[in-house]
Amino acid sequence: MAAIVRSPRLVLGLPTGRSPLTLYRVLAERSSQARVNWSGVRTFNLDEFVGLGGADPGSYRAFMQSALFDHIGIDAGQIHLLDGRAPDLAAECARYERAIAAAGGIDIQVLGIGANGHVGFNEPADALRAHTHIATLTLGTRAANAQWFGNEPDRVPAHALSMGMATILAAREIVLIATGAEKAAAVSGMVSGLITPRLPASFLQLHTRVTVMVDNAAWGQKSEP
Ligand code: GLP
């Protein structure tokens, strides 16, 4: 928030999921009190499901509209998301990389983290993709996203478009938000484990400006009985 006030032409990278909801609620509240001016801000979302358009309630575009964009003074032209229904998905990924570059790169990339250590939809694997790409989702990730699909993991698309690790690491600053005990192992590995494609968030150790915001449970501390 302070960053938007300081730098009204900020380029923000944004995640979906439960983790950023408090941030989005606070941003919406402050915006309604006219304390945040979004007129020069541009946003780029991390990822989108393949096959879903913005009108689909399970799409990340729909999530972003209801969680944030509908509540702040931002024009459609300032908002960038990958199009999961693009006829040529590879061309859509290349277009997105060009759009980020044309905006001057991302100033602050906000991230969540999957319980398996994924960021965006960069899933644990033998090797990771550097740039925006078509990702195959693990069963665990589809289950974790089922709440947006009537709690039916089978309805969660099996593929998504996602920024790659290099796209994410190119941001000038990164803020990662994690809450809940189910994130503790991933957070621990991210902060103090080896850098490995088996835990994609561990690559954030290569970045010099990362802020990790966690609750006690995600930091591995038991709550008082
Ligand atoms: C999802 C998204 C990620 C998100 C993560 C954590 O699958 N693709 O961008 O950060 O998983 O989600 P949540 O914050 O709901 O735990």
Side-chain angles (χ1 to χ4, degrees):
M1 214 137 36
I4 299 173
V5 174
R6 269 200 313 273
S7 169
R9 290 200 50 79
L10 202 71
V11 180
L12 275 178
L14 297 176
T16 48
R18 289 163 285 263
S19 308
L21 286 176
T22 302
L23 170 69
Y24 292 164
R25 200 182 60 242
V26 172
L27 282 171
E29 280 167 14
R30 301 280 165 92
S31 301
S32 69
Q33 298 156 8
R35 289 163 65 184
V36 186
N37 176 4
W38 292 88
S39 63
V41 173
R42 284 148 301 159
T43 68
F44 286 87
N45 261 83
L46 267 175
D47 44 21
E48 178 60 282
F49 291 111
V50 167
L52 302 192
D56 192 304
S59 71
Y60 279 167
R61 178 176 282 274
F63 174 98
M64 289 305 299
Q65 287 297 145
S66 67
L68 183 67
F69 297 146
D70 286 347
H71 313 288
I72 61 177
I74 194 163
D75 290 336
Q78 296 167 252
I79 295 167
H80 302 269
L81 273 101
L82 285 149
D83 178 1
R85 296 186 69 187
D88 182 341
L89 294 173
E92 172 63 4
C93 292
R95 178 198 69 80
Y96 207 60
E97 290 285 335
R98 286 195 303 275
I100 293 170
I106 292 172
D107 293 308
I108 302 176
Q109 176 68 58
V110 183
L111 295 174
I113 182 171
N116 65 1
H118 76 215
V119 283
F121 275 130
N122 295 277
E123 296 277 38
D126 289 338
L128 300 176
R129 299 286 297 276
H131 298 112
T132 303
H133 60 282
I134 305 164
T136 302
L137 308 189
T138 64
L139 291 176
T141 293
R142 291 173 74 193
N145 277 274
Q147 85 168 83
W148 322 113
F149 294 86
N151 290 320
E152 292 179 49
D154 288 349
R155 285 183 49 213
V156 180
H159 297 94
L161 304 181
S162 176
M163 288 186 192
M165 289 311 302
T167 322
I168 292 167
L169 290 169
R172 288 180 262 284
E173 186 173 346
I174 292 173
V175 177
L176 184 139
I177 304 168
T179 59
E182 71 277 15
K183 303 290 176 70
V187 168
S188 165
M190 167 182 73
V191 172
S192 51
L194 296 174
I195 296 172
T196 166
R198 287 278 150 211
L199 202 148
S202 65
F203 279 78
L204 299 180
Q205 292 177 33
L206 296 171
H207 199 286
T208 53
R209 290 193 74 188
V210 182
T211 302
V212 178
M213 300 174 74
V214 287
D215 64 2
N216 285 340
W219 198 240
Q221 288 177 348
K222 302 245 182 316
S223 53
E224 298 294 325

